[in-house]
Structures are given as structure tokens and as C-alpha cells.
Amino acid sequence: VGLFHMPFFLALSMGFILAAVSPAVVVGGMFDLQSRGYGVAKGIPSLVVAAASFDDVVAISGFSMCIGLAISGGGNMVLEALHGPINIVAGTLVGGICAVILSMTDASEPLLFSVIGSALDFGAIKEATIPKAVALIIGGVVVRCLVAVFATYGAGLSMRDRIFIALAWMPKATVQAALGSVPLDLAKATLNREDDPAKYDAYVEYGTDILTTAVFSILLTAPVGLIVIQKLGPRWLEQGADFAEPNLELRNAASSNAEGEVEKLS
């Protein structure tokens, strides 16, 4: 509200967009760590994936309710608030059907990110918007990490485990790509510039700010979050004995074979 001077419910909608964790980055990375036994004994991969999924449900539900109150056509407030949950149910059904179709072509993620990229007109972005967007993203990530470290206190996890979990919830991509352009599109579709030019222009600017911030949140957090999961996971998380012992046996077998070859040559 303070940075972009948005109406309260529109600012809440923006907050819910930025709060969501990217399943495209987190789930794949954590399943890879789990397959190699890192953090499995403490249930860290399952914890990160489950919490990220619940986070997305809350973020999408909250966004759907708030955006109906933020941008309305002047109808009943209750109906506007219920418009979001109704869209969630309908969107889930349609999205499920589309997911089955797109999963056969491996085109879903490139298509999703190309849509948000095409929706953003970089020429229409004000110079002051980018620093505000970056500051908001960094501030949100820092606060979220601190809260995550505090929330996992007493769960039988080491400090490194807790910091890793907090950083693993950093990536933003899929949800931001899907919802980032919605406020701008809704403002253009719902509001009539002829009725109130000042309000229309203001909400289009708000929508552009939200879209810009969503795009930069993907650019800044998705690569860093993926690096954290891929690089820090094997270093910070304990590997289960069932996964480490076969590797030790392979190294011992290789060492024995090497020693046998040396004896033959000597």
C-alpha cells in the first residue's frame, strides 16, 4: 500500500500473488534430493513440498477473494467476494483437463511463461516502478525466511536444516506467471474509461505495477532458489545411511579393483 499507493484490497491481491511458492521449482528439486536420501530421515523434502502446496492454496484462494473486492463493476460486494471462489472451482476443472492435454506435449510451462512475458509492455513501465518492485521482493523474502526459521523451532531440526527450509521456500514462478497479469486484464475488462478516466488510468497503472513486480519476482527468486536447493541441499542436509552405504561399497569395490590391477602390473 505504501510503496505503490494502491487501494487496500488490491494491495492484498498483490501480496497473495507474491506470497505463493513455485511448485515447478520446489517440487522437482526436493524430489531429486529425496531420491538421493538427503534430509529424508527428518522428513525435510516432504515438509517443504507439503508446506509449499498448502501455501499455494492459501495464496490463490486469498487472491481470488480480494481481487473480486478490489476491482468490481459496482455490483453486490458479497457476490463480488464469492466470484473468486467460484472461479477457483471452475478453473480447477478446466485446468485439470488442460493439464492432462499439455502434459502430453511438455508445453505447459513454456506456454505459461510466454503468456506473462507477452503481457508486460516494458515501454509502459515507469522508472520508479522497478526499484520499488525489487525492494518489495527482497523485503518479502527476508521477512519470510526469518519467520520460517522461527516457525520451525522445536521441530527437531538443526539450524542449517531450518535455514535451508526457509531458503527453499523462496522460489516464485508458476503462480506469479499465472496470476500476475490478472489484475491488469480485469481492470481493462471491468472498468470503463469513459465513465471515470482517472480511476481507469489509475487501476491500469496499478495492474502494470503488479505485473512488473510478479515478473521481477520470477527473475530474482527462481534461479536463486533452484541453486539453493541443488547446491546447499547435498551440503547441509544429512544423507540417509541406506543411500550412503551403497556409494561406500562402490568406492570400496573400485578401490579393490584398482589395487588388484596394480598387483598384476607389479
Side-chain angles (χ1 to χ4, degrees), residues 81-208:
L82 291 176
H83 182 69
I86 293 173
N87 282 342
I88 292 177
V89 176
T92 300
L93 296 176
V94 176
I97 297 173
C98 293
V100 173
I101 298 174
L102 291 174
S103 63
M104 301 177 183
T105 63
D106 293 327
S108 55
E109 290 185 16
L111 178 62
L112 182 62
F113 290 108
S114 65
V115 169
I116 190 174
S118 63
L120 182 61
D121 182 8
F122 285 92
I125 300 176
K126 294 183 178 180
E127 294 182 358
T129 300
I130 296 178
K132 292 180 181 179
V134 173
L136 180 61
I137 294 165
I138 294 176
V141 169
V142 170
V143 172
R144 185 186 191 118
C145 288
L146 293 176
V147 172
V149 171
F150 177 78
T152 51
Y153 176 78
L157 301 172
S158 66
M159 180 57 71
R160 287 198 306 180
D161 294 337
R162 293 162 58 195
I163 295 176
F164 173 79
I165 291 172
L167 295 176
W169 283 329
M170 180 195 312
K172 307 180 186 304
T174 316
V175 177
Q176 289 71 28
L179 301 181
S181 62
V182 171
L184 178 60
D185 295 338
L186 190 59
K188 291 181 177 179
T190 304
L191 303 178
N192 189 346
R193 195 176 191 281
E194 296 180 356
D195 296 336
D196 192 341
K199 181 179 180 180
Y200 179 88
D201 293 341
Y203 272 79
V204 168
E205 182 177 342
Y206 296 148
T208 303

Side-chain angles (χ1 to χ4, degrees), residues 228-250:
V228 167
I229 294 174
Q230 291 182 341
K231 301 300 182 182
L232 295 185
R235 294 184 180 182
W236 286 8
L237 302 182
E238 296 179 3
Q239 189 177 33
D242 295 339
F243 295 86
E245 289 179 359
N247 294 333
L248 180 60
E249 293 176 358
L250 289 175

Side-chain angles (χ1 to χ4, degrees), residues 5-25:
H5 306 289
M6 293 181 183
F8 179 71
F9 284 110
L10 191 58
L12 279 180
S13 302
M14 181 181 186
F16 281 119
I17 292 176
L18 298 178
V21 178
S22 170
V25 178

